[in-house]
Amino acid sequence: MLLRVLRVKWEDHRHSSTLNFLKFSLFLEAYISWILQMYEVMADGSSPAVDFIDGRGFIPDSERKTLTNIHPEGFFIRHPPAPHKLDEDLTPEFKLFQTIHMGAAVVDASRWTLIVDGLVERPFSINIEQLRQMPSQTVTSFHECYGSPINPPTKNVWRIGNVQWTGVPLRYLLSIARPDLERGLFVWSDGLDSGTFAGVSADRYQKDLPIEKALSCEVLVAYEMNGQSVTKERGGPVRLVVPGWFGTNSTKWLCRLSVQARRSMGPFTTVFYNELDPLDFEGVRRRPVWRVEPNSMIVRPRPDEVVLGPGYVEGWGRAWGADEISRVEISLDGNTWKEANVALRKQFEWQLFTFRVQVDQSGRHHIQARATDKSGAQQPLTGRRNHVPTVQIWVESDSP
């Protein structure tokens, strides 16, 4: 089976750019790691603490009966503070942005059930107690909202935070279910919320992940955020967390994971959250809103802060992206750039950068930061949702 799957994946990616080869390499790494995980589960000897489904008498959508209400109904957004106020390493709940598309699901946690099914050998269900008894992992990750899926992605909204999630790796659950990796190319995730968004009705919030990402070690079925149980407003009792990808992919009020051969046809993968590929110069090809492109924000100095000078101005900020940020540069004129110091990334957390630039004249100045990731992708100056940040400061003479 291993050789057949790798042969199929290689045929998919070999016609070949460097990007395609990189995709195959990432899949190979995730797949081998998952195989080792699956053999660990099989070698354990004891049956996993799950309820296997044999199909007889199974009621479709039975997991949705744990929903007691949608309250409040409809779209809701809580904007984050300005970047200069996001000065903690971990973002506290009250500073983290909040986006709800169709209304907040009210779930009876004592009856909550997760179904894992689709193109798998052993479909099963688990409750919250069974989930919490499984091997857990804690991942610190930036958490970013893409912005409005009905407006062009041309403005940076900096809906961003840095969060510590705890839960069960998705690949562990898949190792129990034993998916057919020759046919199962995507993992669909269903939320218990339903309703209408931007004039489009849906009986559930449904997203999908390519199997390569689903098998990555960082993707979690999470039940804690910053050391506390995930609240209703944050998608509790259990939600999906997909580090490195936009928050729309981290399905809240999770109730089903299903391995499928194709992408979901729900509105949140077809009508919403697809964008023109900026790498397609003809402006025709569209791509899913998945990976987060390099982004950054300046935390210090604050907007319109008065600095004594002329002389050196010191500051710091945060940078993040699906790939680790390898370089941040600072500019006072948008033409010449000086490299900042950037902290290495340990998991998927945002990265601290610090800088010191010389300002030779009093008056108004604009500081910009530009992040570049390990693949070479770089923040644009304008025109994209991850354009560079600009902070205006005032330099006053320190001479009498």
Side-chain angles (χ1 to χ4, degrees):
M1 174 183 173
L2 171 60
L3 292 178
R4 289 203 308 273
V5 170
L6 293 181
R7 184 167 61 249
V8 169
K9 290 295 180 181
W10 174 243
E11 288 298 320
D12 288 344
H13 292 96
R14 71 184 179 87
H15 298 290
S16 189
S17 64
T18 302
L19 179 60
N20 284 337
F21 182 76
L22 177 60
K23 288 181 179 178
F24 175 75
S25 300
L26 292 174
F27 170 78
L28 180 61
E29 178 182 359
Y31 184 67
I32 292 175
S33 179
W34 175 78
I35 286 289
L36 295 175
Q37 175 85 75
M38 187 173 69
Y39 278 116
E40 286 180 13
V41 172
M42 295 171 63
D44 185 3
S46 60
S47 297
V50 302
D51 298 313
F52 290 108
I53 301 170
D54 62 9
R56 292 173 295 179
F58 178 71
I59 303 174
D61 285 345
S62 60
E63 73 282 1
R64 304 191 71 83
K65 297 184 183 300
T66 63
L67 175 71
T68 63
N69 197 6
I70 301 288
H71 181 75
E73 296 183 351
F75 177 72
F76 172 80
I77 187 166
R78 186 177 79 187
H79 294 283
H84 69 277
K85 296 181 179 179
L86 291 171
D87 50 6
E88 297 96 341
D89 288 338
L90 279 182
T91 307
E93 199 284 334
F94 72 93
K95 286 189 176 182
L96 186 65
F97 73 89
Q98 188 177 346
T99 304
I100 296 174
H101 292 89
M102 300 182 290
V106 182
V107 183
D108 183 350
S110 67
R111 297 170 52 222
W112 175 85
T113 300
L114 175 66
I115 303 292
V116 181
D117 68 355
L119 299 173
V120 299
E121 181 182 334
R122 305 194 301 178
F124 66 87
S125 69
I126 53 173
N127 59 37
I128 190 70
E129 289 79 13
Q130 291 169 321
L131 182 71
R132 284 181 171 271
Q133 291 170 7
M134 291 180 170
S136 66
Q137 181 175 324
T138 297
V139 176
T140 302
S141 174
F142 68 84
H143 187 56
E144 184 176 17
C145 176
Y146 174 77
S148 172
I150 59 178
N151 294 327
T154 58
K155 183 179 179 181
N156 201 332
V157 294
W158 288 287
R159 291 180 197 155
I160 181 69
N162 198 50
V163 180
Q164 189 177 79
W165 303 100
T166 298
V168 177
L170 173 56
R171 69 176 183 175
Y172 179 82
L173 296 174
L174 293 175
S175 71
I176 297 172
R178 299 179 188 171
D180 179 347
L181 294 182
E182 292 188 49
R183 296 188 297 151
L185 303 180
F186 297 92
V187 177
W188 297 5
S189 57
D190 286 9
L192 286 165
D193 47 331
S194 62
T196 300
F197 174 73
V200 178
S201 296
D203 67 348
R204 68 197 64 203
Y205 185 88
Q206 186 176 79
K207 298 292 288 187
D208 56 33
L209 297 179
I211 194 67
E212 294 92 337
K213 183 65 174 179
L215 293 178
S216 299
C217 62
E218 69 272 6
V219 180
L220 299 180
V221 174
Y223 47 78
E224 287 185 2
M225 185 186 99
N226 289 348
Q228 302 295 321
S229 295
V230 178
T231 63
K232 179 197 80 170
E233 292 74 19
R234 295 296 173 190
V238 176
R239 65 175 291 162
L240 192 65
V241 172
V242 187
W245 288 27
F246 285 107
T248 176
N249 301 286
S250 294
T251 301
K252 298 188 285 287
W253 308 291
L254 185 67
C255 66
R256 180 181 289 267
L257 295 163
S258 189
V259 179
Q260 297 292 331
R262 57 178 175 80
R263 293 205 64 200
S264 163
M265 296 303 294
F268 292 97
T269 57
T270 56
V271 180
F272 307 117
Y273 294 111
N274 293 282
E275 65 174 9
L276 289 174
D277 188 343
L279 300 179
D280 178 23
F281 298 109
E282 296 180 356
V284 176
R285 185 174 65 238
R286 300 184 70 81
R287 67 178 185 183
V289 170
W290 281 344
R291 291 168 53 87
V292 174
E293 297 169 299
N295 209 339
S296 65
M297 66 182 184
I298 297 170
V299 181
R300 297 289 185 276
R302 301 171 180 86
D304 289 314
E305 185 169 333
V306 177
V307 181
L308 293 179
Y312 285 101
V313 175
E314 296 184 345
W316 62 275
R318 310 283 190 183
W320 62 91
D323 291 326
E324 181 177 0
I325 301 301
S326 59
R327 185 171 73 253
V328 174
E329 299 162 290
I330 305 298
S331 179
L332 294 174
D333 59 12
N335 294 312
T336 57
W337 298 84
K338 178 182 179 182
E339 195 161 336
N341 296 313
V342 186
L344 297 176
R345 190 167 83 174
K346 298 177 182 178
Q347 292 182 313
F348 280 82
E349 73 279 4
W350 59 18
Q351 294 167 248
L352 172 72
F353 65 86
T354 58
F355 61 87
R356 189 171 185 255
V357 292
Q358 186 167 351
V359 178
D360 295 325
Q361 296 180 347
S362 300
R364 183 176 63 180
H365 297 270
H366 295 92
I367 301 177
Q368 293 181 310
R370 182 174 67 183
T372 303
D373 70 20
K374 292 177 69 173
S375 75
Q378 187 176 80
Q379 277 186 275
L381 296 181
T382 59
R384 283 285 296 162
R385 64 158 310 284
N386 63 324
H387 66 72
V388 301
T390 301
V391 169
Q392 176 177 283
I393 64 169
W394 298 88
V395 176
E396 290 188 353
S397 174
D398 57 0
S399 301

